[in-house]
Amino acid sequence: MGTHEEQGVARQGFDVADAVPLLLDAQGLVTGWTRGAERLLAYAASEAVGKSVAELLSSEDAARVPGLIERCGREGGWAGLLTALRADRARLRLNVRITSALDTQGPSRWLVLLSELADAPGWDMSRDTLEQMVARSPVGIAIVDTDLRYVWSNAALGRFGGGPPPHRLGLRLADIQPGLDSESIEAQMRQVLATGEAIVGYEHVGHARSAPLRETAHMMSFTRLDDGHGHPTGVYYTVEDVTDRHRARQRLALLDRAGEHIGRTLDITRTAQELAEVAVPGLADLVTVDLLESVLRGGEPASGPPRDDDPMPLRRAGQRSLLESVPEAVVAIGERVRYPTGSPPLRSLRTARSWREEKLDPLAEAWAEHARGGQAAIFLELGLHSVMIVPICARGVTLGLTTFFRRHRQEPFEEDDLHLAEDLVSRAAVCVDNARRYTRERDAALVLQRSLLPHRLPEQEAVEVSACYRPADELTGLGGDWYDVIPLSGARVALVVGEVPGHGIDAAAAMGQLRTAVRTLAALDLPPEEVLAHLDDLVARSAREDGGDTDGEEAAVAQSVGSGCVYVVYDPVDGACTMAAAGHPAPAVVMPDGSVAFVDLPQGPPLGVGGPPFESVELALAAGSTLALHTDGLLAGGVDWTMDADRNRLRQALEGRTTSLDLHCRTVVDALVPARPHDDVALLMARTRVLGTEQVADWDLPADPAAVADARKTASRQLAEWGLEELAFTTELVVSELVTNAIRYATGPIRLRLIRERALFCEVYDGGATAPHLRHPRTTDEGGRGLLLVSQFTQQWGTRFVPEGKIIWAEQPLTDPLA
C-alpha cells in the first residue's frame, strides 16, 4: 500500500478515543510511555523510554523511521500503517498517527497515537464506509433498542414490509407488520438480549404484509450490541429472503415423502389414498383421486387417452382434506363419480393433459355430482378457490385423475405447483398401475389361494415325512388331489390324503375348501371316523343348499361331493395308529425290514353321497415303519386294473431301497406314474418314530386335594431331570390347575403325563365326560381363573376325549414362556 493510501486509510479509520499515545523527541527516541502503550506492546516504561522508536518496529518498517521523522518535520505529521514488534516478539499491525507535540514540556517533539487493527487484513473502515455498506446492502438490516423499538434500519429492509426507515423509528415489529408472526421473532431478540449469544440462521416462514397471499421464508440473524461497559444497548439483525430455497426444499421433501409412503402395498385403493395423504397439507388443502372402474377391477384400459365416445365410469379411490371427515368432498370413497360433459376433469382425462385454474369462480357449481342426488354445491360453499387437475397416466395408459384444491391457504396454485403435482402423480401412477396389474393376477388366483398344497410340511417329531404331487393339468399345475400333515396335541400327528373329482382350477378350488375344512375339524381333536363324519355332513349340506347359482366357499365345498379321503392319527408315545377312509384306497405299510403290507381298512362311502357310518381301525407300528398314503391316480397307469394287480405294482415300487425318504417318494411316483398322467397323483410317505421312555413320564394320582402339591413337586423333579428347569414355574401352575380341576369335577382315576418332544406337553386324564370351559371371572369372584391362567401361560391347550374319559392338555414351547 502506498504512502498516500496509508494516510487515507488512517484518516478514515482512526478513532482517537481508542488510541494509545506515546511521545518522541525530534530524533525519534521515546520520551513518554503510557500504560496503554505498555498494554499494547508489552514493554515496561523503564524498558521503552530512551529507545529509538525503530527498535519497536519490524525490520522493514524500522528502515522507514528516518524518512518518516523527516516527513513529519516537513509536513507537520503523518498517518499510516506500521508493524510493531511486541516485547514477546509478536508482530502487531497498527494504525499510526503522528502529530506535533511542541506544546508539551520537556524534550518531546512528536505525539504518536497507536490504534490496533486486530484481525483486519489491512483495511480499517470508517463510519462513513460502514454506513455505505449497510445502506446499500441488498440484505435487510436493522437495529432495535432494548425495548425492541427501531432506532435504525437500511432501505433494503423495506422490501420485507414495514415501509421506509423513517417510518420505523420508535415502533416495534408488531406495529409496522401486524399480519406477521412478530412474537416468535421478538422472542429471538429477547433471547439474544438475555444471553448475549448470537442467533444465526433462524428461518421464519409466514405471510408478509408485502405478499399476503404467498407464503414467504426469511433467514434472520440476531446479534446483541453492548456499550463500553458490556451492558446491552440493543439488537442488530439481518433479514434475507430465502423463499425460493424454502419452496425448493419443500418440494424435494414432498417428493421424498412420496417415495417413502406411496406404493407400500399392492392395493389399488390404498395406493390412491396414500397419494392423497402425501399431498395434504404439503401441496394442497384437499386432494381427490378418481380411478376408472376397470382399473379398480384390475382390468387393462385402452392405451393412450380415451376417445370422446368411450364410457369413462370413475370411482372415488382416495381423498384427504385438512378438515376431518373431508366435508368439502361431495362423493365418498368407493362411490361412483359423475362429472358433467365438457367439465375440466373430463377434458383432462380425455386429453391426458393437466389443467390449472388460479382463481375458481366462487359461484360456479362443483363439478362432481352428489352421489346421493343431493343439491349441487358451489365452490364458495365448499370454500375452494384454486385448483389443479392432473391425469394419472402410466405406460401410455390413462388410469384416472387427481384433483388438488386450496382452501385455507390464500395463495393460488402457481406453475411451479403444477410441475410438482405432475411429478408427484407420475410417481404414484406407476404404483397404481403395479397395484392394478397385481390385482388382476391376484383375482385370477384368488380362488386357488386355499387350494395350494403346503409348501413346507410342519416340524414335528412323530414322523419323518415326504410328499410328491403330480397334477394331470400340466399347463396350470392345478388339480384336485391333496395331502396334509397336521400336528396334534400330545405329540401326535394327523396324516391326510384326499382327492376331489375333476381336474384343473375348479377341482383345485374345491380341494382347497375341503382341505381347510379338514384342518378345522382336526383342531377339535376328534377320532378319524368322527372327522370324516363331520366332513361328510358338511359336503352333503353344502350340496343341498347349492341351488346351482351359489358361488363362494359353500359352492366350492359343494363341488367336493364324491371326494375321497383317508385320515390317519399316529401317536409316537406308544406307536398306536388309528385311521378311517371315505371312498379312498387304504394306506400301505413298509415294515422296518422292507416288507410291504396293506391295511385292512373298512371303506366308507365317498364324501357327501350318503351311506353307512365310517369305521376306523387301530394298529401298532414299530419305529421305522413307513406309511404310504396315496390317491388312486398313483395306480391308474397300469394295464391290469384289478385291485391285486395294482397292489402288486405298488408293493414292488415300495420295496425298493433308497438313501432317503424324499428320494424313495419320488422314485415310487416315477415308477408308477407317466410324465403326463391321466389323473392327479398325490403320495405322502411317513416314517414313524417312537418316543423313548426318557421322553415320557406319567403318574397315577389319587382323587385327593392333597395330591396336588405332590403332583407339582413330581413334575418339577421330572423337568429338572430333563434339564427344563426354566419351565418349572409355568408347568407347576398348569399341573396344579389341571389336577385340581380333575379332582374337583371329574370321576374315576386321575393320571398325569408329561411328554418332552419339540414342545412340552402336560396331560391330565380323568374319567369325566364333560369338557371344561374357559371362564372370565369378575374381580370379586373367588375362583374360576384356573383355565384362564393356563391359557395365558401356555402356547395352547384343549380337551380330547378317549373311550374311558377325557384328557385336558397344555403345550409349552421349550423356552421360558415368560421370557
Side-chain angles (χ1 to χ4, degrees):
M1 181 180 291
T3 302
H4 179 71
E5 294 175 308
E6 288 178 344
Q7 289 179 327
V9 170
R11 291 191 186 99
Q12 289 180 357
F14 205 91
D15 191 341
V16 175
D18 294 331
V20 172
L22 57 89
L23 295 173
L24 303 178
D25 65 8
Q27 288 73 39
L29 299 179
V30 177
T31 58
W33 195 255
T34 64
R35 291 185 178 181
E38 183 176 341
R39 174 188 58 79
L40 185 66
L41 299 179
Y43 287 101
S46 59
E47 297 174 306
V49 174
K51 278 189 175 183
S52 171
V53 71
E55 298 180 55
L56 304 179
L57 300 176
S58 64
S59 57
E60 58 269 22
D61 284 345
R64 298 172 57 192
V65 169
L68 292 177
I69 296 296
E70 180 182 349
R71 184 173 177 178
C72 288
R74 185 173 62 251
E75 298 180 1
W78 177 85
L81 302 178
L82 295 174
T83 300
L85 287 180
R86 288 168 46 90
D88 56 6
R89 311 311 294 169
R91 296 170 67 90
L92 186 65
R93 192 70 166 161
L94 299 175
N95 196 356
V96 181
R97 179 174 293 182
I98 305 175
T99 60
S100 175
L102 291 178
D103 55 343
T104 60
Q105 297 180 356
S108 300
R109 175 71 175 79
W110 303 108
L111 171 64
V112 181
L113 299 177
L114 307 177
S115 180
E116 185 179 357
L117 289 181
D119 295 330
W123 178 264
D124 188 30
M125 290 171 285
S126 67
R127 176 184 177 91
D128 291 339
T129 303
L130 292 174
E131 286 185 351
Q132 291 180 51
M133 288 176 56
V134 297
R136 299 176 184 177
S137 171
V139 177
I141 305 174
I143 298 175
V144 297
D145 60 18
T146 53
D147 293 326
L148 307 186
R149 299 183 181 278
Y150 284 95
V151 297
W152 181 88
S153 63
N154 68 347
L157 193 65
R159 293 188 292 105
F160 305 100
H167 293 177
R168 297 175 179 269
L169 294 178
L171 300 178
R172 290 175 55 172
L173 186 60
D175 300 328
I176 61 175
Q177 290 186 276
L180 194 68
D181 179 18
S182 58
E183 291 185 3
S184 63
I185 297 176
E186 289 188 346
Q188 308 301 314
M189 298 180 184
R190 291 191 183 92
Q191 180 179 339
V192 170
L193 284 173
T195 64
E197 296 181 2
I199 295 177
V200 180
Y202 170 73
E203 186 170 310
H204 179 266
V205 180
H207 291 80
R209 200 171 187 180
S210 57
L213 298 183
R214 186 173 186 266
E215 186 180 71
T216 57
H218 297 129
M219 187 71 72
M220 308 181 73
S221 296
F222 305 87
T223 305
R224 191 175 79 178
L225 299 176
D226 298 335
D227 60 16
H229 303 287
H231 300 140
T233 60
V235 174
Y236 160 86
Y237 76 87
T238 61
V239 186
E240 184 179 359
D241 191 339
V242 293
T243 301
D244 291 340
R245 184 171 64 189
H246 172 72
R247 291 169 69 88
R249 190 167 63 244
Q250 281 184 317
R251 290 184 172 91
L252 289 176
L254 184 61
L255 293 176
D256 286 343
R257 186 165 176 260
E260 293 177 1
H261 292 86
I262 298 178
R264 292 177 294 179
T265 67
L266 287 173
D267 181 86
I268 296 179
T269 56
R270 181 63 219 160
T271 303
Q273 183 63 26
E274 289 167 350
L275 168 58
E277 290 175 352
V278 163
V280 176
L283 179 59
D285 301 328
L286 169 66
V287 175
T288 63
V289 182
D290 303 322
L291 296 177
L292 294 170
E293 289 185 346
S294 58
V295 172
L296 290 169
R297 293 193 302 266
E300 190 74 36
S303 61
R307 299 188 302 270
D308 291 342
D309 56 346
D310 285 343
M312 303 176 61
L314 292 164
R315 285 195 180 272
R316 181 62 46 85
Q319 58 190 19
R320 179 65 183 271
S321 167
L322 284 176
L323 301 178
E324 191 175 354
S325 75
V326 198
E328 313 97 321
V330 297
V331 178
I333 291 178
E335 293 179 338
R336 176 172 284 194
V337 186
R338 296 175 175 84
Y339 291 111
T341 303
S343 61
L346 283 187
R347 287 202 309 268
S348 182
L349 190 63
R350 293 190 184 280
T351 61
R353 294 182 180 177
S354 302
W355 182 79
R356 175 176 65 93
E357 185 69 26
E358 290 188 4
K359 185 174 179 59
L360 286 166
D361 182 358
L363 300 180
E365 291 185 358
W367 302 305
E369 300 176 4
H370 282 267
R372 297 173 181 84
Q375 184 177 0
I378 61 175
F379 287 117
L380 179 62
E381 294 174 343
L382 301 176
L384 307 175
H385 65 84
S386 189
V387 66
M388 298 185 298
I389 302 175
V390 180
I392 303 173
C393 302
R395 302 181 180 98
V397 174
T398 302
L399 307 173
L401 55 88
T402 306
T403 308
F404 302 82
F405 290 99
R406 278 193 175 160
R407 171 178 177 158
H408 297 278
R409 280 185 291 186
Q410 295 302 309
E411 64 267 27
F413 285 118
E414 301 176 351
E415 193 67 27
D416 287 345
D417 294 319
L418 182 61
H419 295 326
L420 175 60
E422 289 174 336
D423 286 345
L424 192 64
V425 173
S426 66
R427 296 188 181 201
V430 175
C431 298
V432 170
D433 194 48
N434 288 339
R436 175 191 64 81
R437 291 168 177 247
Y438 168 75
T439 299
R440 181 183 60 193
E441 300 301 328
R442 182 198 60 190
D443 289 346
L446 191 58
V447 70
L448 307 175
Q449 185 174 359
R450 298 181 183 177
S451 307
L452 299 177
L453 296 172
H455 294 290
R456 184 175 59 87
L457 297 174
E459 295 181 354
Q460 40 75 45
E461 292 289 346
V463 291
E464 176 190 357
V465 292
S466 179
C468 188
Y469 175 73
R470 186 169 295 177
D473 190 341
E474 186 183 35
L475 180 63
T476 64
L478 300 171
D481 289 12
W482 57 286
Y483 60 87
D484 212 345
V485 177
I486 308 170
L488 301 176
S489 64
R492 298 168 306 129
V493 66
L495 308 171
V496 193
V497 168
E499 55 184 321
V500 173
H503 312 291
I505 189 170
D506 293 332
M511 172 268 285
Q513 296 299 328
L514 195 60
R515 175 171 173 256
T516 301
V518 170
R519 293 187 70 90
T520 302
L521 292 169
L524 300 177
D525 235 333
L526 301 173
E529 68 275 13
E530 293 188 31
V531 170
L532 295 183
H534 284 290
L535 193 62
D536 179 69
D537 289 341
L538 175 64
V539 173
R541 184 172 65 252
S542 297
R544 290 193 302 269
E545 294 174 354
D546 181 12
D549 297 326
T550 306
D551 55 6
E553 294 187 4
E554 283 194 352
V557 175
Q559 294 175 22
S560 302
V561 173
S563 299
C565 180
V566 60
Y567 188 89
V568 179
V569 175
Y570 175 71
D571 189 346
V573 174
D574 55 9
C577 182
T578 307
M579 63 184 72
H584 197 87
V589 180
V590 182
M591 303 301 180
D593 61 2
S595 61
V596 178
F598 293 90
V599 179
D600 186 11
L601 179 61
Q603 279 295 314
L607 298 175
V609 300
F614 300 98
E615 297 179 46
S616 64
V617 297
E618 181 173 349
L619 60 153
L621 296 178
S625 301
T626 302
L627 278 168
L629 289 71
H630 63 91
T631 58
D632 56 13
L634 185 68
L635 304 175
V639 178
D640 186 354
W641 293 91
T642 66
M643 180 178 294
D644 290 339
D646 288 342
R647 286 188 169 181
N648 285 334
R649 293 175 57 240
L650 179 57
R651 178 181 287 107
Q652 293 175 5
L654 291 173
E655 287 175 345
R657 292 289 184 175
T658 56
T659 56
S660 70
L661 191 62
D662 287 338
L663 181 58
H664 195 183
C665 189
R666 291 195 300 270
T667 301
V668 170
V669 173
D670 290 340
L672 300 176
V673 181
R676 295 185 178 181
H678 300 288
D679 194 8
D680 304 324
V681 176
L683 172 63
L684 176 66
M685 300 184 69
R687 182 174 295 155
T688 62
R689 300 187 179 106
V690 175
L691 299 181
T693 55
E694 73 281 358
Q695 294 180 270
V696 182
D698 60 353
W699 305 270
D700 290 323
L701 303 176
D704 182 354
V708 176
D710 293 335
R712 286 199 305 265
K713 295 177 182 178
T714 302
S716 181
R717 286 195 298 269
Q718 185 60 57
L719 291 183
E721 292 182 14
W722 285 341
L724 300 177
E725 293 88 345
E726 69 276 8
L727 300 182
F729 173 78
T730 303
T731 304
E732 287 185 21
L733 185 148
V734 171
V735 169
S736 178
E737 296 301 335
L738 296 187
V739 173
T740 299
N741 257 12
I743 293 173
R744 182 175 299 172
Y745 302 110
T747 60
I750 299 173
R751 188 164 55 253
L752 169 65
R753 182 167 74 166
L754 296 180
I755 302 173
R756 176 174 60 87
E757 192 222 20
R758 288 184 176 271
L760 177 66
F761 294 90
C762 177
E763 298 181 342
V764 174
Y765 163 84
D766 62 62
T770 303
H773 296 284
L774 185 66
R775 294 174 53 192
H776 296 275
R778 298 184 299 270
T779 54
T780 56
D781 290 348
E782 296 182 359
R785 296 178 177 83
L787 290 180
L788 180 61
L789 290 174
V790 171
S791 68
Q792 294 295 318
F793 281 85
T794 61
Q795 182 169 286
Q796 54 183 339
W797 73 280
T799 304
R800 72 174 184 270
F801 290 93
V802 293
E804 303 81 16
K806 69 175 183 295
I807 295 174
I808 306 177
W809 57 272
E811 177 183 347
Q812 301 177 67
L814 292 184
T815 55
D816 186 0
L818 297 179

